Coordinates of all heavy atoms in Angstrom, one line a residue:
A140 N 1.0 -77.1 77.8 CA 2.0 -76.2 78.1 C 2.4 -75.5 76.8 O 2.4 -76.0 75.7 CB 3.3 -76.9 78.7
R177 N -7.9 -85.1 62.5 CA -7.1 -85.7 63.5 C -5.6 -85.4 63.3 O -4.9 -85.2 64.3 CB -7.4 -87.1 63.6 CG -8.8 -87.4 64.2 CD -9.2 -88.9 64.1 NE -10.6 -89.0 64.5 CZ -11.7 -88.8 63.7 NH1 -11.5 -88.4 62.4 NH2 -12.9 -89.0 64.1
Y199 N -7.1 -70.1 72.8 CA -7.8 -69.5 71.7 C -7.0 -69.7 70.4 O -7.6 -69.9 69.3 CB -8.0 -68.0 71.9 CG -9.2 -67.6 72.7 CD1 -9.2 -67.5 74.0 CD2 -10.4 -67.4 72.0 CE1 -10.3 -67.2 74.8 CE2 -11.6 -67.1 72.7 CZ -11.5 -67.0 74.1 OH -12.6 -66.7 74.8
A209 N -10.1 -76.1 59.3 CA -11.3 -76.9 58.9 C -12.1 -76.1 57.8 O -12.6 -76.7 56.9 CB -12.1 -77.1 60.1
R317 N -37.1 -64.1 67.5 CA -37.7 -63.0 66.7 C -36.8 -62.5 65.6 O -37.3 -62.2 64.5 CB -38.1 -61.9 67.6 CG -38.8 -60.7 66.9 CD -39.0 -59.5 67.8 NE -39.9 -59.8 68.9 CZ -40.3 -58.9 69.8 NH1 -39.7 -57.7 69.8 NH2 -41.1 -59.3 70.8
A334 N -33.4 -71.3 57.0 CA -34.0 -72.6 57.4 C -33.7 -72.9 58.8 O -34.6 -73.5 59.5 CB -33.4 -73.7 56.4
A377 N -18.4 -74.8 92.6 CA -17.1 -75.3 93.1 C -16.1 -75.3 91.9 O -15.0 -75.0 92.1 CB -17.3 -76.7 93.7
S381 N -12.6 -73.1 91.7 CA -11.3 -73.6 91.4 C -10.6 -73.0 90.3 O -9.4 -73.0 90.2 CB -11.4 -75.1 91.2 OG -12.0 -75.4 90.0
V394 N -9.2 -60.6 77.5 CA -10.3 -60.1 76.6 C -10.5 -58.6 76.8 O -10.7 -57.9 75.8 CB -11.6 -60.9 77.0 CG1 -12.9 -60.2 76.4 CG2 -11.6 -62.3 76.6
Q398 N -10.2 -56.2 73.5 CA -11.3 -55.4 73.1 C -11.0 -53.9 73.1 O -11.7 -53.1 72.5 CB -12.6 -55.8 73.9 CG -13.0 -57.2 73.6 CD -14.3 -57.6 74.3 OE1 -14.6 -57.0 75.4 NE2 -15.1 -58.5 73.8
L400 N -7.9 -52.5 72.5 CA -6.8 -52.1 71.6 C -7.4 -51.2 70.5 O -8.5 -51.5 70.0 CB -6.1 -53.3 71.0 CG -5.1 -54.0 71.9 CD1 -4.5 -55.2 71.2 CD2 -4.0 -53.0 72.4
S405 N -5.1 -48.8 81.6 CA -4.0 -48.8 82.6 C -4.3 -49.9 83.7 O -5.4 -50.4 83.8 CB -4.0 -47.4 83.3 OG -5.1 -47.2 84.1
P450 N -3.5 -59.9 54.0 CA -2.7 -59.2 53.0 C -3.0 -57.7 52.8 O -2.1 -57.0 52.4 CB -2.9 -60.0 51.7 CG -4.2 -60.7 51.9 CD -4.3 -61.0 53.4
P481 N 8.9 -58.0 60.4 CA 7.4 -58.2 60.2 C 7.2 -58.9 58.8 O 6.4 -59.8 58.7 CB 6.8 -56.9 60.3 CG 7.7 -56.1 61.2 CD 9.1 -56.6 60.9
R485 N 5.6 -62.5 58.3 CA 4.4 -62.6 57.4 C 4.5 -63.8 56.4 O 3.6 -64.6 56.3 CB 4.1 -61.3 56.7 CG 2.9 -61.4 55.7 CD 2.6 -60.0 55.2 NE 1.5 -59.4 55.9 CZ 1.1 -58.1 55.8 NH1 1.9 -57.3 55.1 NH2 0.0 -57.7 56.4
S490 N 3.4 -69.4 54.9 CA 3.8 -70.7 54.4 C 3.4 -71.8 55.3 O 3.2 -72.9 54.9 CB 5.4 -70.6 54.3 OG 6.0 -70.4 55.5

Side-chain angles (χ1 to χ4, degrees):
R177 292 171 187 82
Y199 275 94
R317 178 187 296 179
S381 67
V394 169
Q398 292 182 332
L400 284 178
S405 71
R485 174 174 259 167
S490 64

